[in-house]
Amino acid sequence: MYRIIAKLILVAGIAGGASSAMAATPVAWEFKVNDKAISTATTSPYRTEEDVVMVPLRITSEQLGYRVHWNAKQQYISIDAPYQIISLKENTRDIHVANDFQAIPLAGDFTLDSQVVKKQGVTYVPATFFERLFNTVEIGPKSVTIAVSMSYTTDTNAPANSPADNNSISVVE
């Protein structure tokens, strides 16, 4: 009788352990930038204790068409986006935005939702950082989608002697 009870306890323990192990297995994130699925094998988004979703900076920026630079001497990262340059440092929440628009005050110092962090050689920023660069950011329980909201192009179809010459910028929707 004791053997039967011991076996039942053992089987119940194994089954309970297996189900709790299955529950502990993390669900993979779905991560898309400009409708392209980004591999999350080494650069998966994650959620902080403060419920801020973090995404890898370089791969996201480059997929959006931005250039990423590292200034080793002054220890900061800069992102060159259309008409904006954003500077940020690891382990801070502060960013500096410079822009080419004189009439629109987009430049200044701003605070992110969470610190810029480096994990296993990858720099992460809050997903909402990309909203500052005029992108659409959609966050689900285990998904992040970031897409360019508007793009800029040189207007080569403008009539001659018009205010819009080959150096002007127009918004393409």
Side-chain angles (χ1 to χ4, degrees):
M1 181 71 158
Y2 290 111
R3 283 184 164 183
I4 294 173
I5 293 174
K7 285 182 182 180
L8 287 175
I9 291 173
L10 179 62
V11 170
I14 291 171
S19 65
S20 65
M22 293 171 91
T25 302
V27 177
W29 281 77
E30 180 182 332
F31 183 34
K32 287 186 179 180
V33 181
N34 274 344
D35 292 326
K36 179 182 177 188
I38 305 298
S39 170
T40 57
T42 58
T43 57
S44 181
Y46 68 93
R47 197 175 295 274
T48 67
E49 290 179 9
E50 295 81 28
D51 203 32
V52 175
V53 173
M54 305 291 283
V55 297
L57 177 65
R58 180 173 295 277
I59 194 167
T60 306
S61 297
E62 289 176 350
Q63 188 63 37
L64 290 166
Y66 310 144
R67 286 174 286 183
V68 179
H69 306 281
W70 170 247
N71 184 317
K73 185 176 182 179
Q74 296 181 353
Q75 298 288 299
Y76 73 87
I77 303 164
S78 67
I79 310 296
D80 294 349
Y83 310 102
Q84 294 186 81
I85 298 174
I86 298 184
S87 303
L88 48 103
K89 288 187 173 193
E90 292 174 3
N91 303 316
T92 71
R93 296 172 87 131
D94 304 322
I95 63 171
H96 176 74
V97 179
N99 72 328
D100 293 338
F101 294 121
Q102 299 295 328
I104 305 173
L106 298 175
D109 295 318
F110 302 93
T111 303
L112 297 172
D113 297 336
S114 185
Q115 286 189 357
V116 177
V117 296
K118 192 169 203 170
K119 293 177 96 176
Q120 298 177 340
V122 177
T123 301
Y124 288 85
V125 295
T128 55
F129 164 79
F130 290 97
E131 290 174 338
R132 172 136 316 272
L133 298 168
F134 305 107
N135 297 293
T136 302
V137 177
E138 296 177 10
I139 299 171
K142 282 289 191 177
S143 67
V144 181
T145 302
I146 301 174
V148 173
S149 295
M150 64 176 99
S151 61
Y152 302 91
T153 185
T154 302
D155 185 2
T156 57
N157 298 321
N161 299 322
S162 74
D165 61 17
N166 287 342
N167 296 320
S168 68
I169 303 302
S170 61
V171 177
V172 177
E173 297 182 45

